[in-house]
Amino acid sequence: MSTKRDSVVICEVGPRDGLQMAQGRMATDVKLRWLRQLADAGLREIEVGSFVSPRAVPQMADTGDVVRGALAIDGLTVCALACNLKGVIAAHEAGAHVVAIPISVSDTHSRANVNKGTDDQVEAVRAIVDWVRAQSRPMRIDVAAATAFGCSMEGQVSRKRVAQVAAALAAAGADRVALADTVGYADPALVRDTVREVQDAIGARLTKLHLHDTMGLGLANALAGLEQGIREFDACLAGLGGCPFAPGASGNIVTEDLVFMLESMGHATGVDLPRLLAARALLHEALPGETMRSGVAAAGIPRTFRASAALA
Amino acid sequence: MSTKRDSVVICEVGPRDGLQMAQGRMATDVKLRWLRQLADAGLREIEVGSFVSPRAVPQMADTGDVVRGALAIDGLTVCALACNLKGVIAAHEAGAHVVAIPISVSDTHSRANVNKGTDDQVEAVRAIVDWVRAQSRPMRIDVAAATAFGCSMEGQVSRKRVAQVAAALAAAGADRVALADTVGYADPALVRDTVREVQDAIGARLTKLHLHDTMGLGLANALAGLEQGIREFDACLAGLGGCPFAPGASGNIVTEDLVFMLESMGHATGVDLPRLLAARALLHEALPGETMRSGVAAAGIPRTFRASAALA
């Protein structure tokens, strides 16, 4: 078990994964005010939107403007999601520092979502890498191996398969690979075993976990990853996001509670918890119909809490 | 890290810790029907009520009848909570198999709750042990070291202090000692370090963790305990219970989600998850105003789920 108390990067995905599932729309200027609050709270990496069809996901139609606005926030790493070369080109044109590309490990899930199998998608990543590398401005390419801990269509996904796809993505030139529990089926033993197998295949190229709290196991799964050396996690303010495969289910792991856990354990996240909690107000105002979760927000920061800096 | 896939005992505390915080009352016959459903789902140990002042906790006024009724359930270990000798005598007279006694590690918390300091309470346990051992019918004596991971009054509670109190309780003759995160301040590193220190002091006499999900870290904390060899956990169907120190906060860790986590990891709990979920209906019917939590209940049991028996 890795108990080294080093720093952990939290990538806030609320403006993308959270808002894309929301019933209401958030206006561009409100998004930018919210991004600024999140950055002011200390989040250094934010997935600000996605370059996908505005017909399919109207909440993301303004992602170009959001990326351009976010670039004005000092020190912020601006990420955007894209599913194909067209989206990657748009992300690059807008000036995103990082493009995040989801690829389903489950072939069935991949075909259902993008009408292409996993192997074809890996080939598409290779073409994307070639295109990005040919540009004068560099852009980091992160690939998220979706359905890495199970699939609502195929059921269990073998760890061997996950490691093979991760190795293929690394070979295709992806800078970083993340494992995503897209449908929320993971448990801590599965996270531990899968992370180990993928680390054996691609080493430190596996950087991040994207976890959902569907079954209430989100932070336990994050702990299992942390113990295997993972130092980067996606999370969502107020746990927005839901699960498209389970109506009414919880969404992403909750940024506030993840920060509380990590800082309490002595891991520096760079995030100021009271300021992070304050960033909930704008979200609630803009999208009053959304369920906002967080144990820390409901109970208040306990008087025993010491941020990692105070523990050092 | 202990990854041995052995069995884990879940002690359902909903009929005590859950109902005592509930706004509504559950009638004695409904409690007994509910206990039978919980036992039918495979729970072998249930804290069915508490022998405390019916003026202070009117929901528990029928605990004698509930204990006597629960004794008719085949194979069930019937636990009851008591705070002093009078309550222990009542638990013994009713026929409880186990009496659970909370003792605050925080002296301030102890004085505020029972007008006695921790040392006096340890002495009270000694007198209780003497009384119980003098009876012809044996009764197991479990002591829960409350506020073991922090106190809303004193703040941080030192691990050394927790280990000293645990050692004193073991010396006083308690059969088993549990550590309770009474106010929900624990984090996985604190659980790991505290469990280790108490194990160094009293070895296998430390059997159980009683965790709350106040900050959303309940199952992550349970995982940390599991990794240190703890094989017994209190939990509450639907996560009932709340936190008397934080209105609106979450309650105990959720039995359904704990079972899902443990069984997915290959630990046998003896609990049938679909039957456990079915036991929520009666609870909802009897107490329609209570917030019922559970990721597994909201999202449904995923198709990849295999109970530990199927994994063996």
Side-chain angles (χ1 to χ4, degrees):
Chain A
M1 171 162 70
S2 171
T3 55
K4 214 179 136 209
R5 295 187 166 188
D6 35 23
S7 61
V8 172
V9 173
I10 297 176
C11 179
E12 171 65 39
V13 296
R16 198 276 304 168
D17 204 351
L19 297 188
Q20 79 176 13
M21 292 281 298
Q23 291 300 312
R25 290 275 285 274
M26 192 185 276
T28 310
D29 65 312
V30 180
K31 284 186 184 181
L32 286 171
R33 264 198 293 142
W34 190 40
L35 289 177
R36 203 168 283 280
Q37 286 186 4
L38 293 168
D40 284 349
L43 290 160
R44 302 331 287 149
E45 191 159 328
I46 305 180
E47 201 167 290
V48 302
S50 59
F51 289 98
V52 292
S53 159
R55 274 190 310 280
V57 192
Q59 293 90 338
M60 296 293 117
D62 61 353
T63 295
D65 291 335
V66 175
V67 166
R68 282 182 287 272
L71 290 170
I73 301 174
D74 203 38
L76 182 67
T77 299
V78 179
C79 311
L81 184 139
C83 295
N84 50 35
L85 182 58
K86 187 182 165 197
V88 170
I89 292 171
H92 190 269
E93 280 175 355
H97 301 123
V98 181
V99 67
I101 305 166
I103 300 291
S104 283
V105 176
S106 152
D107 207 61
T108 313
H109 187 265
S110 184
R111 288 180 196 282
N113 268 7
V114 293
N115 208 22
K116 273 189 190 177
T118 306
D119 289 350
D120 285 348
Q121 285 288 81
V122 172
E123 280 313 303
V125 167
R126 194 183 301 275
I128 285 168
V129 169
D130 289 345
W131 184 87
V132 171
R133 302 298 182 231
Q135 308 310 306
S136 57
R137 187 182 75 77
M139 178 168 70
R140 203 178 85 202
I141 302 165
D142 291 5
V143 180
T147 64
F149 303 100
C151 169
S152 52
M153 297 166 182
E154 283 192 10
Q156 289 183 311
V157 171
S158 87
R159 294 198 295 277
K160 199 178 154 200
R161 161 102 183 148
V162 178
Q164 282 168 345
V165 171
L169 291 168
D175 291 307
R176 303 182 178 190
V177 175
L179 300 180
D181 184 20
T182 312
V183 294
Y185 288 2
D187 68 77
L190 185 61
V191 169
R192 180 192 62 214
D193 296 343
T194 306
V195 166
R196 275 184 192 162
E197 194 138 342
V198 174
Q199 283 172 333
D200 285 347
I202 64 168
R205 198 83 74 100
L206 170 63
T207 53
K208 190 166 73 169
L209 293 179
H210 175 95
L211 301 167
H212 281 241
D213 200 29
T214 319
M215 305 297 160
L217 273 58
L219 290 186
N221 290 335
L223 177 63
L226 189 74
E227 289 175 350
Q228 296 311 312
I230 296 294
R231 291 294 179 268
E232 210 173 324
F233 296 92
D234 283 347
C236 211
L237 195 78
L240 249 60
C243 177
F245 308 98
S250 300
N252 287 273
I253 56 173
V254 178
T255 309
E256 304 90 303
D257 298 354
L258 178 65
V259 168
F260 174 77
M261 182 173 92
L262 292 169
E263 292 282 336
S264 297
M265 295 176 75
H267 292 284
T269 63
V271 178
D272 181 283
L273 197 46
R275 292 179 94 166
L276 185 67
L277 291 175
R280 292 167 57 95
L282 185 147
L283 183 60
H284 180 62
E285 208 177 288
L287 300 171
E290 292 299 310
T291 300
M292 292 178 63
R293 297 183 302 122
S294 164
V296 175
I301 300 173
R303 54 174 294 189
T304 51
F305 178 70
R306 299 282 178 282
S308 63
L311 293 170
Chain B
M1 173 161 71
S2 171
T3 54
K4 214 179 137 210
R5 296 188 166 186
D6 34 23
S7 62
V8 172
V9 173
I10 297 175
C11 179
E12 170 65 41
V13 298
R16 198 277 303 170
D17 203 352
L19 296 189
Q20 78 177 13
M21 293 280 299
Q23 291 302 311
R25 291 274 286 273
M26 192 185 276
T28 309
D29 64 312
V30 180
K31 285 186 183 180
L32 287 170
R33 263 198 292 142
W34 190 40
L35 290 178
R36 203 169 283 280
Q37 287 186 3
L38 293 168
D40 284 349
L43 290 159
R44 302 330 288 146
E45 192 160 327
I46 305 180
E47 203 167 287
V48 303
S50 60
F51 289 99
V52 291
S53 158
R55 273 190 311 278
V57 193
Q59 292 91 338
M60 295 293 118
D62 61 351
T63 296
D65 290 336
V66 174
V67 167
R68 282 182 286 272
L71 290 170
I73 301 173
D74 203 38
L76 182 68
T77 298
V78 178
C79 310
L81 184 138
C83 296
N84 51 34
L85 182 58
K86 187 183 166 196
V88 170
I89 291 171
H92 191 269
E93 279 176 355
H97 300 123
V98 181
V99 66
I101 306 167
I103 300 291
S104 282
V105 176
S106 152
D107 206 60
T108 314
H109 187 265
S110 184
R111 288 180 196 283
N113 267 8
V114 294
N115 208 23
K116 273 189 191 177
T118 305
D119 290 349
D120 284 349
Q121 285 287 83
V122 171
E123 281 313 303
V125 167
R126 195 183 300 275
I128 285 167
V129 169
D130 289 345
W131 184 87
V132 171
R133 301 298 182 230
Q135 309 310 305
S136 58
R137 187 181 74 76
M139 179 167 71
R140 203 178 85 201
I141 302 165
D142 291 5
V143 181
T147 64
F149 302 100
C151 168
S152 52
M153 298 167 182
E154 284 192 10
Q156 288 184 313
V157 171
S158 86
R159 294 200 293 277
K160 199 178 153 199
R161 163 100 182 149
V162 178
Q164 282 168 345
V165 171
L169 291 168
D175 291 308
R176 302 182 180 190
V177 175
L179 301 180
D181 184 21
T182 312
V183 294
Y185 288 2
D187 68 77
L190 185 62
V191 169
R192 180 192 63 213
D193 295 344
T194 307
V195 166
R196 275 184 192 160
E197 194 139 341
V198 175
Q199 283 171 333
D200 286 346
I202 64 167
R205 198 84 73 100
L206 170 63
T207 52
K208 189 165 74 169
L209 293 179
H210 175 95
L211 301 167
H212 281 241
D213 200 28
T214 318
M215 306 296 159
L217 272 59
L219 290 187
N221 290 336
L223 177 64
L226 189 74
E227 289 175 349
Q228 296 310 314
I230 297 294
R231 290 294 180 269
E232 211 173 324
F233 296 92
D234 283 346
C236 211
L237 196 78
L240 249 59
C243 176
F245 308 97
S250 299
N252 288 272
I253 55 173
V254 178
T255 309
E256 303 89 305
D257 298 354
L258 178 65
V259 168
F260 175 77
M261 180 173 92
L262 292 169
E263 293 282 337
S264 297
M265 295 177 74
H267 292 284
T269 63
V271 178
D272 181 283
L273 197 47
R275 292 179 93 166
L276 185 68
L277 291 175
R280 291 167 59 96
L282 184 147
L283 182 60
H284 180 62
E285 210 176 289
L287 300 172
E290 293 298 311
T291 301
M292 292 179 64
R293 298 183 302 122
S294 165
V296 175
I301 300 172
R303 55 175 292 190
T304 51
F305 179 70
R306 299 282 179 280
S308 64
L311 293 169

